[in-house]
Amino acid sequence: MKVEIWSDVMCPFCYIGKRHFEQAIEKLPFKNEIEVDWKSYQLNPEYHNTNNETVYDYLSRSKGMPIEQAKQMTKQVADMAANAGLKMDFDTNIPANTFNAHRLIHLAAKHNLQDLAEEKLFEAHFVNSKNIGEIDVLIDLAVEIGLDKDEAKSVLNGNEFAEAVRYDIYESQNLGIRGVPYFVMDRKYGVSGAQPVQAFTDALTQSFAEWKSAQPKTTLTSLNKNDDAVCDENGCEI
């Protein structure tokens, strides 16, 4: 069963939601039958950090709140992240435009490294305070996850996968997605936000049961007129 996840690597709840979702899947007996496809989404596509803004400056300006309120808000998010086993450092976090980061994720998907790319970008942004809006940073991350450096350079210094990113965003709009993270299960059910682990467990279990029951039956109807000339664990029929 396919689960599509619309996410932005600048979104702390997307990182927390990813971890909760992973913790839920790990407990499920059908975990190997779940296919995850990460989809691009930009919370602020017009944003570019040209003035060395801190995350507190960014939140204060964009949400019209005092710096102290921004710090309190991020502390609450950091506490929520810690409960999911994540450490987020907002004091040194660098706000960035994520369009090229999403292009890198699409490149990684081409090489079956999409989930690892998503994880490393979250880690770079929230844990290691890297500027994921810079091409050189993205190239280093590409190499770290096992992509070819020259291919990553060519892609990130060009326009490849730009339309793929835009299409993901267009598709999210058609599905009525207005915030992330957003988890779409078998194009039938949607779960929004960094829900608790149990909420993901319940949603996955229900979705998978319905998906499984809808799969074609694999039991064959035999057209044999006899059972001759067959070998099985008991030997061969002559």
Side-chain angles (χ1 to χ4, degrees):
M1 182 185 77
K2 179 179 281 191
V3 179
E4 298 160 291
I5 309 173
W6 271 265
S7 169
D8 193 358
V9 288
M10 191 179 162
C11 164
F13 294 117
C14 292
Y15 197 10
I16 296 169
K18 180 179 189 293
R19 196 58 86 243
H20 285 175
F21 177 78
E22 290 167 343
Q23 290 167 358
I25 281 187
E26 194 56 36
K27 300 176 181 177
L28 298 173
F30 50 83
K31 64 181 180 180
N32 293 331
E33 295 183 73
I34 301 295
E35 176 191 352
V36 176
D37 185 14
W38 289 94
K39 299 285 191 175
S40 304
Y41 191 97
Q42 282 196 284
L43 292 168
N44 193 345
E46 306 304 319
Y47 178 75
H48 294 277
N49 192 346
T50 57
N51 298 314
N52 295 317
E53 271 193 321
T54 67
V55 70
Y56 305 129
D57 294 331
Y58 170 74
L59 290 172
S60 176
R61 179 181 54 78
S62 63
K63 295 185 178 294
M65 63 173 64
I67 291 287
E68 286 306 314
Q69 185 179 349
K71 288 183 177 181
Q72 182 59 37
M73 185 175 75
T74 53
K75 183 183 183 305
Q76 292 171 353
V77 176
D79 289 344
M80 183 178 176
N83 288 332
L86 300 170
K87 182 181 179 181
M88 292 187 180
D89 189 349
F90 288 104
D91 286 341
T92 56
N93 180 262
I94 303 171
N97 185 285
T98 57
F99 189 81
N100 287 324
H102 286 298
R103 291 201 299 126
L104 173 58
I105 293 168
H106 276 276
L107 170 61
K110 174 183 170 184
H111 297 280
N112 297 316
L113 293 168
Q114 187 190 44
D115 191 76
L116 182 58
E118 194 85 22
E119 180 69 25
K120 287 297 182 182
L121 281 161
F122 277 132
E123 184 181 87
H125 181 63
F126 287 109
V127 181
N128 299 326
S129 300
K130 301 286 187 181
N131 186 344
I132 58 171
E134 293 184 351
I135 296 296
D136 288 345
V137 170
L138 295 176
I139 291 172
D140 287 344
L141 287 171
V143 173
E144 185 178 340
I145 67 174
L147 295 174
D148 179 77
K149 185 173 184 177
D150 290 336
E151 182 181 20
K153 275 185 177 181
S154 176
V155 167
L156 292 168
N157 285 312
N159 293 311
E160 195 171 352
F161 299 113
E163 284 306 311
V165 173
R166 294 188 185 102
Y167 183 79
D168 281 353
I169 295 170
Y170 165 78
E171 199 172 19
S172 73
Q173 294 167 348
N174 282 349
L175 289 170
I177 297 170
R178 296 293 179 264
V180 287
Y182 201 96
F183 302 77
V184 177
M185 302 177 185
D186 194 32
R187 282 294 169 106
K188 189 174 182 180
Y189 295 112
V191 175
S192 64
Q195 296 293 327
V197 174
Q198 189 59 50
F200 283 120
T201 301
D202 294 343
L204 284 163
T205 300
Q206 178 183 342
S207 301
F208 182 81
E210 294 181 18
W211 172 83
K212 194 72 172 177
S213 67
Q215 299 310 297
K217 302 298 182 183
T218 56
T219 302
L220 302 178
T221 300
S222 175
L223 296 178
N224 285 8
K225 294 183 178 179
N226 57 60
D227 293 328
D228 291 345
V230 172
C231 293
D232 59 22
E233 67 272 13
N234 298 313
C236 298
E237 295 289 339
I238 303 297

